[in-house]
């Protein structure tokens, strides 16, 4: 019996689409690396997808369809789950009697046909379609289907006549009723659907908020909140209670804030969710931080630091002792930068310990301590005990008070590399902040190696990116002068980026090195603007300057840079 691979080879050679040498090359690579023969042929540029599909269509006697010009019945599409459609790269396009017509990128894949036949119970009539068109149909349809799914679940709940808790008197909520509701299948499906959407849309946060007459669900994608389809207000208590149950929180407590975490499996990967529940005037609000390790970038070279900045950070991180501080507002990626520095310095010969509130990502080979204020395990007390563990590198999640910064600085002075964060807007402002916290200037000058201030900006979507020439007024306000034409970039908005024009984020940074001149200014208790001015004369690139550089490269837009950075003061010429 002829194998599927032999059949494909025979078709391509018989129709003189490829030579035997081309086929043998692809077969050799397939044997070494695995994968589908058709994918390897396209990757090697021996044939494009359109010609390959045409050859298969003629060779197998199967029709070739252009899905972009074909209207598909959405009821038929519901016959196959998204995971199955995406895995096998198939799309059901019509159903007549007991036969299902199936568009396939690989019409020789009998396993795909058997799986679909088993799922649907229909006989399969295969036709040929391009892979790119099939994947587009899958993504476009199943994004809309997620909204339909919420409506479907809500209707199921209504049909099953589940008794839902009334919202008007929360103090009288029956714990046994709440517990029963959290175990009902529709409530579980509704909660799981919201969690899955948050993961699939690569959001960092999921907010479930009770309003006076409605319930609002929002997700934060690339730092910007976006509202998504929400269930009716009457389902609020059951969803919140379900989240409490899986987070191992007190289901009967509605008056006090609660914090927890849980793991949730989405498409064969485990995602951590950090939960914060806060009582509000219309009910309990839930904020879930989505900690998806598969999307986390813990590599210094991939965060977006400029080449020179990256060299400075690596040089500072390679020193045996001293303190590196990362500053910026909440949500500016400070912890991710610290984790990336830890991954850079990590080695079997180093003892690395972190103190965090809370631990966001579990790092293999690194000892991580979770702060628990309620039992007295604070940053300061944990640091005191950590020093008895003979550490080489210490990461302090955040410096909040004098006790913490005092121990951290003393640790840096006694032979440890200390990494930490601080909430200040600029690198130079960190020095002033430390002095205000009570740290003596000579201790700052002796212990701190460098200070990194950073922000996150959204990257322009590569699928709808376009260039434009800014007006003279804009260039004048930005103090940009050039004899050549200046070109900036922006995103028009498309389905790939949910019509936002942006996809992903990148870091903007300024790094203040404590040079002899800077240390002299610190000892003289000079103000922030003076420190920043001198640092710029020594080569420091400010947040605004780094942002504009990324604008010229087409990485981000001018609007994003202006949104997160402040205008630089003129450099002192004294």
């Amino acid at each position: 019996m002829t194998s599927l691979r032999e059949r494909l080879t025979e078709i391509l050679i018989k129709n003189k689409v490829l030579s035997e040498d081309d086929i043998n090359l692809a077969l050799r690579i397939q044997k070494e690396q695995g994968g589908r023969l058709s994918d390897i042929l396209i990757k090697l540029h021996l044939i494009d997808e359109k010609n390959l599909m045409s050859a298969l269509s003629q060779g197998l006697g199967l029709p070739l369809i252009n899905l972009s010009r074909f209207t598909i019945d959405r009821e038929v599409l519901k016959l196959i789950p998204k995971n199955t459609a995406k895995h096998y790269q198939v799309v059901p396009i019509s159903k007549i009697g007991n036969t299902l017509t199936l568009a396939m990128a690989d019409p020789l894949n009998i396993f795909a046909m058997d799986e679909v036949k088993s799922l649907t119970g229909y006989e399969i009539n295969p036709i040929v379609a391009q892979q790119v068109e099939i994947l587009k149909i899958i993504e476009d349809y199943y994004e809309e289907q997620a909204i339909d799914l919420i409506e479907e679940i809500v209707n199921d709940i209504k049909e099953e006549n589940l008794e839902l808790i009334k919202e008007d008197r929360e103090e009288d909520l029956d714990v046994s009723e709440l517990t029963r509701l959290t175990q009902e299948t529709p409530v579980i499906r509704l909660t799981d659907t919201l969690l899955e959407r948050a993961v699939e849309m690569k959001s960092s946060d999921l907010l479930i908020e009770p309003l006076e007459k409605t319930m609002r669900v929002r997700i934060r994608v690339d730092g910007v909140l976006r509202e998504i389809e929400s269930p009716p207000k009457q389902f609020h208590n059951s969803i919140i209670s379900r989240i409490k149950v899986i987070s191992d929180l007190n289901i009967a407590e509605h008056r006090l804030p609660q914090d927890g975490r849980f793991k949730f499996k989405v498409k064969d990967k485990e995602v951590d969710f950090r939960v914060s529940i806060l009582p509000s005037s219309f009910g309990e609000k839930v904020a879930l931080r989505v900690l998806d390790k598969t999307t986390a970038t813990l590599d210094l070279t991939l965060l977006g630091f400029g080449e020179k900045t990256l060299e400075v950070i690596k040089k500072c991180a390679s020193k045996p002792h001293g303190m590196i501080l990362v500053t910026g507002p909440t949500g500016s990626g400070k912890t991710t930068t610290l984790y990336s520095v830890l991954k850079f310095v990590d080695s079997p010969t180093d003892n690395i310990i972190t103190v965090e509130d809370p631990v966001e990502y579990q790092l293999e080979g690194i000892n991580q301590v979770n702060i628990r204020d309620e039992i007295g395990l604070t940053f300061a007390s944990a640091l005191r005990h950590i020093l008895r563990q003979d550490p080489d590198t210490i990461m302090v999640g955040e410096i909040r008070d004098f006790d913490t910064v005092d121990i951290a600085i003393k640790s840096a002075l006694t032979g440890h590399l200390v990494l930490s964060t601080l909430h200040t807007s600029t690198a130079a402002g960190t020095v002033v902040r430390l002095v205000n916290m009570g740290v003596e200037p000579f201790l700052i000058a002796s212990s701190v190696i460098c200070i990194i201030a950073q922000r996150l900006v959204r990257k322009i979507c590569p699928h709808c990116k376009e260039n434009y020439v800014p007006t003279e007024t804009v260039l004048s306000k930005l103090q940009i002068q050039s004899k050549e034409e200046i070109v900036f970039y922006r995103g028009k908005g498309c389905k790939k980026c949910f019509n936002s024009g942006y996809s992903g984020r990148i870091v903007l940074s300024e790094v203040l090195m404590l040079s002899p001149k800077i240390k002299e200014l610190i000892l003289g208790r000079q103000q922030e603007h003076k420190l920043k001015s001198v640092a710029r004369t020594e080569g420091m690139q400010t947040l605004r300057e780094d942002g504009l550089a990324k604008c010229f490269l087409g990485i981000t837009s001018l609007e994003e840079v202006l949104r997160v950075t402040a205008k630089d003061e003129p450099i002192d010429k004294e």
Side-chain angles (χ1 to χ4, degrees):
M1 183 178 176
T2 307
S3 71
L4 299 177
R5 188 176 67 181
E6 289 170 346
R7 182 73 175 124
L8 175 60
T9 303
E10 179 187 328
I11 290 169
L12 295 174
I13 294 176
K14 184 178 179 181
N15 290 294
K16 298 181 180 180
V17 178
L18 294 176
S19 66
E20 286 192 35
D21 290 340
D22 291 336
I23 293 291
N24 290 333
L25 172 63
L27 289 173
R28 187 168 68 251
I29 293 174
Q30 185 188 40
K31 186 177 180 180
E32 294 171 355
Q33 301 178 6
R36 296 194 314 170
L37 181 59
S38 56
D39 289 340
I40 294 170
L41 291 169
I42 294 170
K43 191 176 180 180
L44 291 173
H45 301 293
L46 296 173
I47 188 173
D48 60 32
E49 186 182 6
K50 186 176 181 180
N51 288 329
L52 178 62
M53 293 296 105
S54 179
L56 283 176
S57 172
Q58 293 175 16
L60 296 172
L62 297 175
L64 175 66
I65 187 172
N66 185 345
L67 288 178
S68 63
R69 298 179 180 178
F70 193 86
T71 303
I72 300 174
D73 185 352
R74 295 190 175 278
E75 291 303 313
V76 174
L77 281 165
K78 287 182 180 178
L79 293 172
I80 300 179
K82 180 179 180 180
N83 289 346
T84 304
K86 200 165 187 177
H87 177 71
Y88 290 114
Q89 296 175 1
V90 298
V91 168
I93 61 170
S94 67
K95 178 174 69 72
I96 301 175
N98 196 40
T99 301
L100 182 69
T101 300
L102 192 68
M104 306 180 67
D106 183 2
L108 295 171
N109 191 340
I110 59 171
F111 299 107
M113 286 187 275
D114 287 345
E115 176 72 13
V116 174
K117 183 178 179 180
S118 175
L119 273 172
T120 62
Y122 292 107
E123 294 297 321
I124 304 302
N125 174 37
I127 60 174
V128 185
Q130 289 189 51
Q131 179 186 28
V132 64
E133 291 180 358
I134 288 176
L135 292 177
K136 187 175 188 306
I137 292 288
I138 291 171
E139 289 306 316
D140 290 351
Y141 164 71
Y142 284 101
E143 173 59 32
E144 294 178 15
Q145 191 192 43
I147 297 172
D148 297 336
L149 182 58
I150 291 177
E151 294 178 357
E152 182 185 322
I153 295 170
V154 169
N155 291 331
D156 287 347
I157 294 175
K158 289 177 180 176
E159 288 175 10
E160 293 180 24
N161 294 318
L162 292 182
E163 295 177 15
L164 296 167
I165 304 297
K166 292 182 179 180
E167 298 287 332
D168 52 355
R169 297 186 64 191
E170 289 202 6
E171 67 273 11
D172 295 331
L173 292 178
D174 190 308
V175 175
S176 63
E177 279 296 296
L178 280 173
T179 304
R180 182 182 68 81
L181 278 173
T182 63
Q183 296 169 352
E184 295 284 359
T185 302
V187 172
I188 294 173
R189 285 178 63 203
L190 194 55
T191 308
D192 289 355
T193 299
L194 295 176
L195 298 176
E196 286 171 3
R197 287 210 72 195
V199 174
E200 288 176 359
M201 294 181 75
K202 298 179 181 178
S203 62
S204 60
D205 299 272
L206 169 65
L207 304 181
I208 302 174
E209 305 161 298
L211 305 179
E212 185 175 5
K213 295 181 180 179
T214 60
M215 172 180 167
R216 182 171 65 179
V217 179
R218 294 187 290 172
I219 58 173
R220 189 181 297 277
V221 180
D222 295 335
V224 178
L225 280 173
R226 178 181 295 128
E227 190 167 349
I228 62 173
E229 183 71 15
S230 306
K233 175 76 179 287
Q234 65 197 91
F235 302 106
H236 174 259
N237 274 332
S238 53
I239 292 173
I240 301 304
S241 298
R242 175 64 188 166
I243 291 172
K244 285 182 179 179
V245 167
I246 59 181
S247 305
D248 199 23
L249 299 177
N250 185 354
I251 195 174
E253 180 57 72
H254 308 285
R255 300 166 300 172
L256 297 173
Q258 296 189 72
D259 295 321
R261 66 190 305 156
F262 64 89
K263 288 182 183 290
F264 183 72
K265 199 165 187 178
V266 181
K267 295 182 180 177
D268 298 324
K269 66 178 179 181
E270 281 193 346
V271 180
D272 284 336
F273 283 84
R274 203 172 75 215
V275 182
S276 172
I277 298 180
L278 183 71
S280 71
S281 56
F282 297 116
E284 291 176 290
K285 173 184 175 180
V286 177
L288 298 104
R289 173 60 57 88
V290 185
L291 303 171
D292 187 354
K293 293 181 182 179
T294 60
T295 61
T297 304
L298 303 181
D299 186 336
L300 274 175
T301 59
L302 301 178
L303 295 182
F305 290 110
E307 192 174 327
K308 291 183 179 178
T309 301
L310 193 59
E311 287 179 12
V312 169
I313 294 173
K314 286 183 176 181
K315 181 179 178 182
C316 293
S318 300
K319 293 191 176 183
H321 58 82
M323 179 182 280
I324 298 175
L325 292 172
V326 183
T327 75
T330 302
S332 59
K334 300 186 296 295
T335 303
T336 300
T337 298
L338 288 186
Y339 279 157
S340 300
V341 173
L342 285 181
K343 294 288 283 184
F344 173 72
V345 302
D346 185 26
S347 76
T349 60
D350 284 345
N351 180 16
I352 301 176
I353 305 178
T354 75
V355 191
E356 304 172 60
D357 182 25
V359 172
E360 291 200 7
Y361 293 103
Q362 299 288 345
L363 302 177
E364 188 176 351
I366 293 176
N367 308 285
Q368 295 172 273
V369 178
N370 202 83
I371 291 305
R372 297 181 62 188
D373 288 323
E374 68 274 13
I375 60 172
L377 184 59
T378 62
F379 280 113
S381 63
L383 271 174
R384 290 189 186 96
H385 290 283
I386 282 174
L387 292 174
R388 299 171 192 164
Q389 295 281 323
D390 188 31
D392 296 295
T393 302
I394 303 169
M395 185 189 108
V396 184
E398 184 183 343
I399 290 177
R400 297 175 178 171
D401 51 47
F402 175 75
D403 288 341
T404 305
V405 72
D406 184 51
I407 300 170
I409 284 179
K410 287 176 180 175
S411 301
L413 291 172
T414 54
H416 306 89
L417 180 64
V418 180
L419 313 175
S420 191
T421 70
L422 203 63
H423 284 279
T424 58
S425 56
T426 65
T430 304
V431 175
V432 178
R433 171 72 175 137
L434 290 173
V435 172
N436 290 340
M437 291 177 73
V439 181
E440 291 294 335
F442 74 89
L443 289 175
I444 299 172
S446 303
S447 61
V448 178
I449 307 171
C450 77
I451 302 168
I452 306 165
Q454 67 178 58
R455 301 287 188 277
L456 290 178
V457 292
R458 292 179 290 173
K459 294 192 292 184
I460 299 171
C461 173
H463 302 286
C464 59
K465 181 176 175 182
E466 64 176 7
N467 59 23
Y468 71 97
V469 178
T471 63
E472 289 295 330
T473 305
V474 171
L475 294 176
S476 177
K477 286 184 178 180
L478 294 172
Q479 299 178 339
I480 297 174
Q481 295 180 348
S482 175
K483 293 180 180 179
E484 299 180 1
E485 186 178 67
I486 300 293
V487 176
F488 284 139
Y489 299 83
R490 61 192 170 198
K492 291 187 294 184
C494 62
K495 285 189 176 181
K496 295 281 186 181
C497 61
F498 307 103
N499 293 314
S500 67
Y502 299 97
S503 178
R505 288 191 290 177
I506 195 169
V507 71
L508 303 184
S509 63
E510 62 182 29
V511 180
L512 175 64
M513 291 288 295
L514 267 68
S515 64
K517 179 66 175 176
I518 295 295
K519 289 181 180 180
E520 185 181 326
L521 294 174
I522 292 172
L523 292 172
R525 294 179 179 265
Q526 292 290 333
Q527 293 300 309
E528 176 184 343
H529 70 88
K530 184 66 177 177
L531 292 171
K532 183 176 180 178
S533 182
V534 172
R536 291 178 69 187
T537 61
E538 293 183 343
M540 182 184 82
Q541 187 178 44
T542 67
L543 289 165
R544 173 61 65 87
E545 290 167 344
D546 188 25
L548 290 176
K550 288 181 170 66
C551 280
F552 294 135
L553 293 173
I555 298 172
T556 189
S557 68
L558 181 60
E559 291 79 9
E560 275 293 285
V561 174
L562 297 179
R563 180 176 67 87
V564 303
T565 64
K567 182 181 178 181
D568 294 321
E569 297 293 331
I571 298 175
D572 291 342
K573 297 181 180 180
E574 295 180 8

